[in-house]
Amino acid sequence: MSASDPQKPPRRMLARRSLVIRRNDHVGDPVGLAFLESPETNGDAVLARLREYLGDKLELVKAEVSHGEIAVEVESRGWTEEGARMAAAARDLYQKGARRGALSMYRDALELDPLNAEAILRIGLALAEQEKFAEAFAALKRAREFGADGVELLIAMGRCAAGLERSPNAVAYYEEALKIDPRNFVARRALRSLGRTPATTKPGKESAAVRSGRD
């Protein structure tokens, strides 16, 4: 190929990912009803709910339903490297204060790669800051299913759940955050505001904050 030949655009790559859909994250929403269906007698209904939840960009390969979670495998075609570069650029833009532009770029990154956990997590965190709790909670649940974790995620989910008047869910997220970082001031204060007394920590015990692996 000569230098004057047009460069071929990158091909979309097929990727497969294992996701975990947690029952406690979906109390009261449509996908939560899948936990009430019997996979043995009503498996088609379970699969239909899961496909509707996952959307048309993720193809459901298989699903295993247990009492507390549904383990699914999905496939998607996307531009993984391009999506990662777009998400990195969006994060840099966000840190510089251009939050609206960064949010748009994160969405573009997710269009390039529907399995980009960084993009969907950052979208959720940004929406939570804007107090768009329903949209943020949906994005954060998906980010968690994609593998995001850590105190920042759990506190944001707790804030969204509280904003949506789902106090039991909020308490559960904050308490889970404190299992990772027992001295986390934000989680402890939020629990008190919800009428719960956080567990006491032993003097001198170092917190074990776990970052979400996005750095």
Side-chain angles (χ1 to χ4, degrees), residues 167 170-176 178 185-199:
S167 295
V171 167
Y173 292 129
Y174 289 131
E175 289 181 340
E176 193 171 347
L178 288 177
F185 173 75
V186 175
R188 296 178 73 82
R189 181 179 62 183
L191 280 174
R192 290 191 184 96
S193 72
L194 292 168
R196 300 292 289 266
T197 302

Side-chain angles (χ1 to χ4, degrees), residues 18-113:
S18 296
L19 311 181
V20 177
I21 299 173
R22 297 167 178 80
R23 182 171 188 163
N24 290 341
D25 290 348
H26 292 279
V27 175
D29 68 20
V31 76
L33 296 176
F35 289 95
L36 304 179
E37 304 278 4
S38 168
E40 291 78 15
T41 61
N42 209 5
D44 289 343
V46 172
L47 294 176
R49 292 188 188 281
L50 290 175
R51 289 192 180 100
E52 182 178 3
Y53 171 66
L54 292 170
D56 57 6
K57 294 182 180 179
L58 300 181
E59 180 180 350
L60 179 63
V61 177
K62 67 177 183 179
E64 296 181 4
V65 183
S66 64
H67 175 73
E69 62 185 37
I70 302 175
V72 303
E73 284 193 17
V74 299
E75 286 184 344
S76 177
R77 288 191 177 274
W79 292 274
T80 305
E81 293 182 4
E82 290 77 6
R85 284 197 293 267
M86 181 73 75
R91 185 174 187 179
D92 183 61
L93 197 63
Y94 193 87
Q95 290 173 344
K96 291 178 179 177
R99 298 190 171 186
R100 182 175 298 179
L103 186 57
S104 177
M105 288 182 68
Y106 277 127
R107 287 183 169 132
D108 289 341
L110 201 59
E111 286 293 320
L112 289 168
D113 177 15

Side-chain angles (χ1 to χ4, degrees), residues 151-152 155 174 177-192 198 201 207 209:
V151 173
E152 183 181 30
I155 287 177
Y174 289 131
L178 288 177
K179 290 179 182 178
I180 300 172
D181 181 5
R183 294 186 176 184
N184 188 279
F185 173 75
V186 175
R188 296 178 73 82
R189 181 179 62 183
L191 280 174
R192 290 191 184 96
T201 58
S207 64

Side-chain angles (χ1 to χ4, degrees), residues 89-151:
R91 185 174 187 179
D92 183 61
L93 197 63
Y94 193 87
Q95 290 173 344
K96 291 178 179 177
R99 298 190 171 186
R100 182 175 298 179
L103 186 57
S104 177
M105 288 182 68
Y106 277 127
R107 287 183 169 132
D108 289 341
L110 201 59
E111 286 293 320
L112 289 168
D113 177 15
L115 291 173
N116 190 307
E118 166 78 4
I120 190 65
L121 173 63
R122 292 296 170 178
I123 289 170
L125 293 174
L127 291 171
E129 285 186 2
Q130 297 172 20
E131 298 188 354
K132 296 180 179 179
F133 295 127
E135 295 176 69
F137 196 43
L140 293 169
K141 287 188 288 186
R142 182 64 64 93
R144 194 181 194 197
E145 289 156 6
F146 281 10
D149 61 11
V151 173

